[in-house]
Amino acid sequence: CNPRHDDNGMPTDTLLGNLFLIVFLPIVFKAHRMFCFVLSYIVMFTGLILSMVVADVASDVVLVLGGMVALGIMIYDHKRNMMALFLLLQEQQSYYDQLLTVERNRASAVMEKEELRNLIGNVAHDLKTPLQALMVEVDGLQAEVDAVR
């Protein structure tokens, strides 16, 4: 509208608003599904590049630096999310390892108890059988001695 104005691009404040909106898009969605994560980054990078092209950013150093900061924020957010996920997975793995160790110890104690019970039963049976045979023999001998008298 202004004939003395030589820039036909988007106003700087609108462009910066669009850049920050695009940067915070993945942060808002938090990418619980891989599809949402990839889609938000595709939209973000496409919007960032289109905003820079429409505003003719090559001549404006502030907007180029803003775009670089926005990309840095996106990369930092992605790294932070991946690190948080990695740490969460490590915590879950240690928790499940502890549960597994406790369960194995409990199962081992139950198995040892059953083996000891079986061992005592076998020893008692092994001792009882010869003793009964000996008692039968003694009763038989006693009966013969009584018969002889």
Side-chain angles (χ1 to χ4, degrees):
C1 293
N2 186 356
R4 292 181 294 185
H5 186 71
D6 58 354
D7 189 14
N8 293 330
M10 192 182 297
T12 305
D13 57 345
T14 306
L15 180 64
L16 288 177
N18 287 342
L19 285 176
F20 287 112
L21 180 66
I22 291 168
V23 167
F24 292 113
L25 180 67
I27 296 171
V28 170
F29 287 113
K30 279 302 177 192
H32 292 289
R33 294 187 179 171
M34 190 62 172
F35 173 75
C36 292
F37 179 74
V38 171
L39 182 65
S40 66
Y41 273 105
I42 288 172
V43 168
M44 180 177 44
F45 283 119
T46 305
L48 188 61
I49 291 169
L50 286 176
S51 295
M52 288 179 169
V53 168
V54 166
D56 192 23
V57 178
S59 64
D60 196 353
V61 175
V62 174
L63 291 179
V64 171
L65 290 177
M68 290 173 66
V69 168
L71 286 172
I73 289 171
M74 291 184 292
I75 292 170
Y76 170 76
D77 183 56
H78 177 68
K79 255 186 157 176
R80 186 179 57 82
N81 286 338
M82 291 300 113
M83 184 57 74
L85 181 63
F86 175 72
L87 293 175
L88 178 66
L89 288 174
Q90 277 188 334
E91 288 176 17
Q92 286 179 345
Q93 180 183 4
S94 66
Y95 172 73
Y96 287 123
D97 286 344
Q98 288 174 353
L99 284 178
L100 186 60
T101 302
V102 167
E103 184 62 28
R104 282 182 181 162
N105 290 341
R106 186 189 66 76
S108 176
V110 167
M111 205 163 33
E112 286 176 7
K113 186 177 178 181
E114 287 180 16
E115 286 178 8
L116 183 62
R117 184 179 299 142
N118 288 338
L119 178 66
I120 292 172
N122 288 341
V123 168
H125 181 267
D126 289 345
L127 291 175
K128 185 177 166 184
T129 302
L131 285 175
Q132 282 181 342
L134 183 62
M135 294 290 285
V136 169
E137 288 294 324
V138 169
D139 286 342
L141 289 174
Q142 185 68 36
E144 285 182 24
V145 170
D146 288 339
V148 173
R149 282 190 199 174

